[in-house]
Amino acid sequence: MMIRYALLLFVFFNLKATGQEKWDLQKAVAYAMENNISVKQAIAQAELANLTFIQSRNTLYPTLQGSLSSSYSHGLSQNPTTNILQSASFVSGSIGVQSGYTIFNWGARKNNIEASQLSLEASKVGIDKARNDIALLVANAFLQVMLRMEQVKISEAAVKLSAAQMNNTRKLVDAGSQPELNALQAEAQLARDSSTLLSAQSLVQEGLITLKSYLNFDIGQPFEIDAPNAEDIPVENLTDLQPGYVYDLAVVTQPLQRQLGIQIEAGKKQIAAARAAMYPSASAFVGLNSRYINSKFPVVTGILPSQPTGAYIVDANGGKLNVLTDRPVFGQSSLPFFNQLNNNFGQNVGLSLSFPIFTGGTQRIQWQRAKINLEQTRLQDDQEKVTLKSNIYTAYQQAFASLQKYQAAIRTVAVNSKALELSTKRFEIGLLGTLDYIITQNNLTTSKIEEVSNRYDYIFKMKVLEFYKGKGIKL
């Protein structure tokens, strides 16, 4: 019954999607570099820095602004075309174009442009840093899955061995050469090994979930890695990765150190720009404008000839004769829109000089803040270099210790394998009890798992040193 149960567990946990594409480390890293959320955030930050740079660079060009307005006035108002007060209702409007250009401002504009350009470069290096960080995380998660898959293989072999041992013991018990207790102990061992296998298979799935989260890959989708043979993974000689040598390379190649170096240069430019804002600046301006109004004025639209004036003259006979005259006919008219624009067209050009007298210390505070920001960046750079050196020296010591543990684990496996070989011979002829044989068998399984764990731990520690050296992550 126990054998059938174990076989069902094997079938359940070893089902794999047919035709599913496998992911090697290079493919996983490349996918993470394009889809990881942290990388996307770094890209968005670089895009914002690029917009800031474009905005600062555009200050090299003159400004140009247009204006167009219209209003309705009723009652006593000033005629915008004559500047005379009149009581009327009219619609008026104006149109204008104004341009300005900063001629001299003590290099504030130039330093702002250079500072924003350096900040853009730092943001681009920040993308490299985010990609480097995620590459290291993906490599670690990838190796963890490989390790757990190896542990599954060891557990599967242990289950097969326990199942075979239980069958043999059951035959001996049925033949009366061994007590029933031996069969029960063998069956309990198979149950323990089956439970260990289930735990190992579950850990593989947990590792894949972690790996998929780094890739920003749909957790619910099937995912299978293409794991290389651990013995085929290239690893440099530890003596070629001395911590001092690796640090000298890392301090000039690691993105974080390069990013901070660029930010220091940007901070110097920001100080110069803030300092220049405390001095006068000269600007030139030019403008064009015109106005219109829809008010009407009286005009003669025609002549009525021979119209009586109400006066008369007396002729020689005493008769009265009306006095006649031509009478003009008045109407209202307004100048055409474009005629008004032409008649009211005006221009202006000039120079201006502006300088801060009292602004609550704003410019000086900005200058002092820029200096403090630069000092903070320098301190951060110093701290990151200390951290980098500490990490490299720690990684070297961990790699050295891991190598010793790995070599010791190899020897332990060899010893336990020999012990199991001898124990098997003694057990088969009845000179070794079942419990002692199981203990020897467990010792070998445990040492194999320990050997595999130490091997992958050593590989990862070495890959960390290679990463700091600037060689990237390769399996």
Side-chain angles (χ1 to χ4, degrees), residues 57-358:
R57 187 181 58 188
N58 287 343
T59 59
L60 292 171
Y61 306 106
T63 61
L64 182 63
Q65 295 181 351
S67 63
L68 181 64
S69 66
S70 179
S71 63
Y72 170 77
S73 300
H74 177 73
L76 185 63
S77 305
Q78 186 181 44
N79 188 316
T81 60
T82 63
N83 291 328
I84 297 175
L85 290 175
Q86 62 183 72
S87 182
S89 297
F90 54 82
V91 176
S92 63
S94 65
I95 185 171
V97 177
Q98 191 77 18
S99 179
Y101 182 72
T102 301
I103 300 174
F104 180 73
N105 63 352
W106 299 90
R109 177 173 53 193
K110 173 178 176 293
N111 286 301
N112 274 323
I113 294 173
E114 292 177 354
S116 60
Q117 184 175 16
L118 288 168
S119 296
L120 173 59
E121 293 178 13
S123 297
K124 290 179 178 179
V125 176
I127 299 176
D128 295 336
K129 177 184 178 300
R131 286 174 172 166
N132 265 20
D133 292 344
I134 196 60
L136 192 60
L137 290 173
V138 168
N140 185 27
F142 197 94
L143 286 171
Q144 286 295 321
V145 174
M146 289 179 59
L147 166 62
R148 293 171 181 180
M149 290 172 65
E150 289 288 339
Q151 292 173 341
V152 167
K153 292 179 182 178
I154 294 172
S155 297
E156 287 175 346
V159 169
K160 291 179 181 178
L161 180 61
S162 297
Q165 182 60 39
M166 189 191 73
N167 288 334
N168 292 335
T169 303
R170 172 53 61 185
K171 291 178 181 178
L172 294 173
V173 170
D174 292 342
S177 59
Q178 289 191 7
E180 181 67 23
L181 177 62
N182 289 0
L184 294 176
Q185 289 174 337
E187 188 174 348
Q189 179 62 29
L190 177 58
R192 286 192 295 269
D193 289 341
S194 299
S195 177
T196 301
L197 174 59
L198 289 174
S199 298
Q201 290 171 331
S202 177
L203 287 174
V204 170
Q205 297 305 315
E206 291 178 11
L208 288 173
I209 291 173
T210 300
L211 180 57
K212 286 190 282 187
S213 68
Y214 289 145
L215 271 60
N216 195 22
F217 189 85
D218 187 357
I219 301 295
Q221 293 299 317
F223 188 91
E224 186 176 355
I225 69 170
D226 184 10
N229 194 325
E231 286 75 11
D232 297 334
I233 297 176
V235 178
E236 290 193 40
N237 194 319
L238 186 59
T239 57
D240 296 332
L241 296 172
Q242 293 299 315
Y245 167 68
V246 174
Y247 172 76
D248 291 338
L249 293 175
V251 79
V252 295
T253 60
Q254 287 299 301
L256 179 57
Q257 276 60 46
R258 291 191 288 118
Q259 184 182 35
L260 289 172
I262 296 172
Q263 288 176 346
I264 288 174
E265 295 304 316
K268 293 177 182 179
K269 297 297 182 180
Q270 290 168 350
I271 290 175
R275 179 71 174 175
M278 300 168 63
Y279 296 101
S281 62
S283 303
F285 61 88
V286 60
L288 306 174
N289 62 83
S290 186
R291 298 172 297 279
Y292 79 95
I293 189 171
N294 73 338
S295 63
K296 299 181 181 298
F297 53 88
V299 294
V300 177
T301 60
I303 300 294
L304 296 177
S306 303
Q307 295 298 309
T309 62
Y312 61 92
I313 59 175
V314 179
D315 59 13
N317 298 322
K320 295 182 179 180
L321 299 176
N322 288 323
V323 178
L324 303 178
T325 185
D326 294 340
R327 180 177 295 174
V329 178
F330 291 95
Q332 288 188 329
S333 180
S334 61
L335 285 176
F337 176 77
F338 288 103
N339 286 357
Q340 288 196 55
L341 293 182
N342 183 57
N343 293 340
N344 298 323
F345 181 62
Q347 311 88 39
N348 62 83
V349 62
L351 298 173
S352 67
L353 182 67
S354 63
F355 46 89
I357 297 176
F358 180 74

